[in-house]
Amino acid sequence: MDLDTVIVGGGQAGLALGHYLRRAGVPFAILDAHARVGDAWRHRWDSLTLFTPRRFSALPGLPFPGDPDGHPGKDEVADYLARYAAHFDLPVRLGCRVTSVRPGTAGGFTVDTSTGTVRARRVVVAAGAFHTPRIPEVAGKLAPRVVQLHSSRYRRPGQLPGNDVVVVGGGNTGVQIAAELADDGRRVVLAAPTLGPVLPQRWLGRDIFWWFSRLGTMRLSPESRLGRRFAAQNPVIGTDVAGLLRRVDRVGRVVDADGDNLRFADGGRRRVDSVIWATGFRPHYPWLEVPVLDPSGAPVQREGVTDWPGLYFLGLPWQRARGSAVLGWVGRDAEVLAARLAEDRRPAPARPVVPA
């Protein structure tokens, strides 16, 4: 084999795993399609700021610089990830887009990339959970003059013409973008049939993530009773939702479109200049030619382990715990997986010779 372990994806999950594999002496390479470590963060909207303060935003082994109680912006996170890869001298192959992972003819895997083909004994998919934007079919009914952006392509208010904007989606991304557009003086409609529980950024003088950490909330298992309850919710953190709803109109689910109008489940109709689809993502692994995906395209795994020997996932939401896909907590999953991979490399103990 060319490599013992290939990690697909050089974001926080892949880097954290690389740190632990290097410490364990396991040979590996991290393959990442971007030009720079951290580019996935650099390409998000300009004003994006993490909910987690710096003290809870670090990967294993390297503190996040700056005020530990302050909240870093997305470029600061990107620069931290680049610093992390350099600090631990992690073997990240940039500009290396994976085009196929398939079972090898002699075991292991054949990994085709934009820069060549490698063979690996194990593959860890650490490509994150945000792949293909999920956009409703009704989007295709809007007139060409209406500017439509999925939230992953939104950068700043100046991208949007006109004054009448509908933001579709009531998660953290939707309410944050709606607030920014309202601050810019736009007439904003928030199409959100439901909003999750609203949590303040600070409570009783402490950041909400201090409380999450102290109470063990981020370590909740998806199989626990409390974990299942939290997984069913999508809390809005740090946004003054009550204040936002005094400045924007809130309507129900989008059910149809016609020309430059959107229609909603409550019977309302709005003319729009622009639409932001803050409607999330769906899993998409077109390059993964190993039968480990369910009919929706999501990986079938348990705590990152698939039924196909040597194929693993890391960094999925609720993979092992509530914090599995969160910057400051993904290292816990990475440590467990690295220990498993290191153990798998050890030679089996010799069988005792039984006298005849």
Side-chain angles (χ1 to χ4, degrees), residues 3 16 28 40-41 93 117 135 142 151 179 190 240 251-253 270 285 296 331 351:
L3 291 167
F28 69 97
W41 282 91
R93 301 184 184 182
T117 297
I135 299 177
L142 285 168
S151 57
L190 179 63
D240 178 8
V251 297
R253 181 171 59 91
R270 296 293 181 110
Y285 302 92
S296 75
R351 294 182 178 180

Side-chain angles (χ1 to χ4, degrees), residues 126-155:
F130 307 116
H131 301 145
T132 300
R134 182 183 285 114
I135 299 177
E137 291 184 7
V138 299
K141 297 183 178 182
L142 285 168
R145 76 160 200 87
V146 177
V147 171
Q148 302 183 61
L149 293 176
H150 186 266
S151 57
S152 59
R153 293 179 55 217
Y154 172 78
R155 298 293 177 268

Side-chain angles (χ1 to χ4, degrees), residues 89-111:
D89 193 25
L90 300 179
V92 183
R93 301 184 184 182
L94 293 167
C96 184
R97 181 179 298 278
V98 172
T99 57
S100 173
V101 173
R102 61 187 189 277
T105 56
F109 301 90
T110 298
V111 182

Side-chain angles (χ1 to χ4, degrees), residues 189-213:
V189 173
L190 179 63
T194 60
L195 288 171
V198 178
L199 302 178
Q201 188 66 66
R202 297 183 68 81
W203 186 62
L204 297 180
R206 298 279 192 174
D207 192 276
I208 193 69
F209 280 90
W210 183 91
W211 291 103
F212 286 168
S213 179

Side-chain angles (χ1 to χ4, degrees), residues 208-250:
I208 193 69
F209 280 90
W210 183 91
W211 291 103
F212 286 168
S213 179
R214 178 61 62 93
L215 297 173
T217 304
M218 304 303 287
R219 297 193 298 273
L220 286 174
S221 163
E223 297 176 350
S224 67
R225 181 181 61 82
L226 198 54
R228 289 194 299 270
R229 180 178 175 184
F230 272 89
Q233 300 174 338
N234 184 22
V236 176
I237 300 175
T239 298
D240 178 8
V241 173
L244 174 65
L245 295 180
R246 288 193 292 268
R247 299 189 294 145
V248 309
D249 291 336
R250 180 183 170 195

